[in-house]
Structures are given as C-alpha cells and as structure tokens.
C-alpha cells in the first residue's frame, strides 16, 4: 500500500512544498487541506491497517516477493552508485550491509 498525493489537474506525484521549510500548518490549513478531511482519512486508514497488522498472528506478506524486491533494489543501488562507493572508500562499510541483506534474501528464498 502506498500513500501519496496525486492530482489529475497537475502532473505531479506530490505537492511541491513536500518536506520543505515552506510546508507549514498555515499552508495546509489555507490551501492544501483546509478542513483536514484528507489528513483525517489517511490517519484513520493508517491506524486501522496498523491495528490489523498488530493483531495478525501471521503477517499477510509474500516473503519471496519481498526477497526478490530487496535483491532488485540492492542490485540497482550498486549499479547506480558503483563509482561513488569506490571513490569514497565505502566498499568495506557497504560490504557488511550488503552481505547481511544478501543473507536475508537467501534465507527468505529458502523458506519458500
């Protein structure tokens, strides 16, 4: 599930002030969500989803799909930032993290 602001009127995936110093209570109150109706709806939906997940004995999650996604993200990250990793001498630090991620992926795959 993904929560994001979309608008058919403007071709943007989030509003331009998102996570900036200009994203203030006043901006939201006057322009974005004056009645806070959308904020309340998302808060209620998020709360209900979290309650459901907290009460579920077995999480409804496809671990093999999760493992595949992690592997794809890892491979994309390494390909995209290979030069920066090497130039900034981050190989050792990232190596430990990537090793742990790889181990998790292999374990998830074996469980399925």
């Amino acid at each position: 599930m993904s929560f994001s602001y979309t608008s058919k009127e403007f071709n943007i995936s989030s509003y331009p002030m998102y996570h900036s110093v200009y994203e203030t209570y006043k901006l939201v109150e006057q322009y974005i969500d004056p009645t806070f109706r959308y904020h309340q709806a998302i808060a209620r939906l998020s709360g209900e989803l979290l309650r459901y997940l907290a009460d579920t004995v077995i999480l409804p999650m496809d671990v093999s799909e999760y493992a595949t996604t992690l592997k794809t993200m890892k491979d994309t990250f390494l390909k995209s930032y290979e030069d920066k990793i090497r130039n900034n001498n981050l190989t050792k630090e990232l190596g430990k993290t990537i090793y742990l991620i790889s181990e998790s992926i292999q374990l998830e795959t074996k469980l399925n």
Side-chain angles (χ1 to χ4, degrees):
M1 180 175 272
S2 175
F3 297 111
S4 63
Y5 172 83
T6 58
S7 172
K8 292 180 183 177
E9 186 177 347
F10 305 104
N11 189 20
I12 57 173
S13 60
S14 68
Y15 60 97
M17 307 299 176
Y18 184 65
H19 281 219
S20 73
V21 297
Y22 303 106
E23 183 183 36
T24 63
Y25 179 83
K26 185 175 180 178
L27 177 75
V28 173
E29 182 182 42
Q30 289 184 351
Y31 300 104
I32 297 171
D33 190 8
T35 62
F36 288 87
R37 182 176 65 191
Y38 298 106
H39 282 78
Q40 185 181 58
I42 291 299
R44 287 180 176 188
L45 181 62
S46 300
E48 182 59 27
L49 179 63
L50 290 172
R51 186 208 52 80
Y52 170 75
L53 291 174
D55 289 345
T56 301
V57 176
I58 299 175
L59 292 177
M61 180 177 162
D62 183 355
V63 292
S64 61
E65 181 181 333
Y66 181 64
T68 302
T69 301
L70 279 178
K71 184 180 182 326
T72 303
M73 290 170 68
K74 177 195 78 154
D75 294 343
T76 302
F77 174 79
L78 290 176
K79 187 176 181 181
S80 299
Y81 295 100
E82 184 176 15
D83 293 336
K84 289 183 180 184
I85 292 168
R86 189 172 39 266
N87 293 341
N88 292 299
N89 200 25
L90 298 173
T91 308
K92 185 177 180 182
E93 289 80 11
L94 276 175
K96 293 175 189 175
T97 305
I98 291 168
Y99 172 77
L100 292 172
I101 291 171
S102 298
E103 288 293 308
S104 297
I105 292 168
Q106 289 175 6
L107 179 62
E108 296 288 343
T109 305
K110 286 179 186 177
L111 292 174
N112 288 320

